[in-house]
Structures are given as C-alpha cells and as structure tokens.
C-alpha cells in the first residue's frame, strides 16, 4: 500500500525494523546510550530555558550526542520528503476537515493541544514510545512493556472512538 501523501511505496517493515535495531544496538554497545526522543526535548529546552531542572548534569551531559541526533531526525525527515516524488506541504487533514472544518488557526490550535497532551503523557509515563517501545521492551524491562501496552491500548481505543463515533 503506498504512502498517503506521496503515493510512494514504503520501505518494507523488516528493513525498517532492522535499521531501528541497528541504531539501538549501536547506541547501546558503542556509546552506552539509550534511544529516546523525549529526553532530547529536554536538551533543546535546556538551551532556551534557564530553569534549574534543565541545568542538571544529566541533561547537559547528553547534549553532545542527543542534539545532533534530533537535528538528524528533522533533517532526515525533511530530505526524505523532498526527495520523494509528489510531496508538497499541505493543510489538508482529510476527514477532519470535512467534518470539523477548522480554518488554519483552528488546525494549529488542535495540533498544539495534541502536542501538549502527548508531552504530558510522555512525562507521566517516564518516556516516549520510542524509548519504551523500542529500547525498553528490547531490554525486557517490565515497566516499558506495561507502558508500551498502555500506549497501544490507548491508541486502539482512541482510533475506535474517532472513526466509529465521531467520524461515523
């Protein structure tokens, strides 16, 4: 099945999974680091916010590798979009636009509110889906397994509510 926005065939799941595993194992064995994106957000915030929480040694010590990692993720996604055929920026949110009909400001507010909820959930769970689901589960950490199952259950319930109740 082609990708929704670009109509380009996706990379096979096994190849993508192998690359994620390779990055995870390299971070662990070569650098003794854990894969996770939410901690990288702390690094970015520590550059902009002068609160004691962001001045901790645990936050500052990871800047050397986490900031380039985050920049690489953003640039990689941007380059991937540019190099694929048929991509262009869009405000189209599909069924959401058809039923809700927010303008541009409403979409930005909707996405901002969603980002706040994701951030809250990430802090509540003690990490993000990549940290728990990829790294924690692969290390057989029970809290990460429970958190990942909770993420999955929440996603399934939300999807069912949105598509079967709200957008029905």
């Amino acid at each position: 099945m082609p990708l929704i926005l670009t109509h380009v065939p996706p990379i096979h799941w096994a190849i993508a999974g192998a690359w994620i595993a390779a990055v995870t194992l390299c971070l662990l064995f070569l650098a003794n680091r854990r894969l996770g994106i939410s901690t990288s957000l702390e690094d970015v915030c520590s550059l902009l916010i002068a609160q004691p929480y962001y001045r901790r040694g645990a936050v500052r010590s990871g800047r050397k590798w986490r900031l380039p990692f985050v920049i690489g993720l953003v640039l990689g996604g941007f380059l991937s979009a540019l190099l694929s055929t048929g991509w262009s920026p869009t405000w189209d949110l599909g069924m959401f636009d058809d039923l809700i009909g927010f303008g541009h400001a409403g979409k930005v507010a909707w996405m901002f509110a969603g980002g706040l909820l994701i951030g809250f959930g990430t802090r509540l769970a003690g990490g993000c889906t990549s940290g728990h689901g990829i790294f924690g589960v692969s290390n057989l950490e029970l809290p990460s397994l429970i958190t990942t199952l909770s993420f999955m259950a929440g996603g399934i319930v939300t999807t069912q509510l949105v598509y079967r109740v709200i957008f029905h």
Side-chain angles (χ1 to χ4, degrees), residues 95 99-100 110 152-168:
M95 292 182 355
L99 293 171
I100 306 297
W110 183 262
M152 297 294 289
I156 291 168
V157 168
T158 301
T159 301
Q160 295 303 311
L161 284 173
V162 167
Y163 286 104
R164 294 185 187 268
V165 177
I166 297 173
F167 289 142
H168 187 269

Side-chain angles (χ1 to χ4, degrees), residues 53-140:
Y53 177 82
Y54 295 113
R55 300 289 177 224
R56 297 175 299 143
V59 173
R60 292 192 329 238
S61 67
R63 283 185 191 166
K64 289 178 265 177
W65 74 273
R66 279 194 297 251
L67 288 176
F69 179 68
V70 169
I71 291 168
L73 286 175
V74 172
L75 287 177
F78 182 71
L79 285 174
S80 174
L82 282 180
L83 296 175
S84 66
T85 58
W87 179 83
S88 64
T90 180
W91 278 97
D92 184 18
L93 295 180
M95 292 182 355
F96 184 85
D97 282 342
D98 295 339
L99 293 171
I100 306 297
F102 285 161
H104 294 321
K107 290 179 190 180
V108 170
W110 183 262
M111 288 185 254
F112 182 78
L116 286 176
L117 290 172
I118 289 171
F120 175 76
T122 297
R123 297 319 305 162
L124 184 66
C128 59
T129 53
S130 61
H132 283 296
I134 297 170
F135 198 91
V137 171
S138 67
N139 281 324
L140 305 175

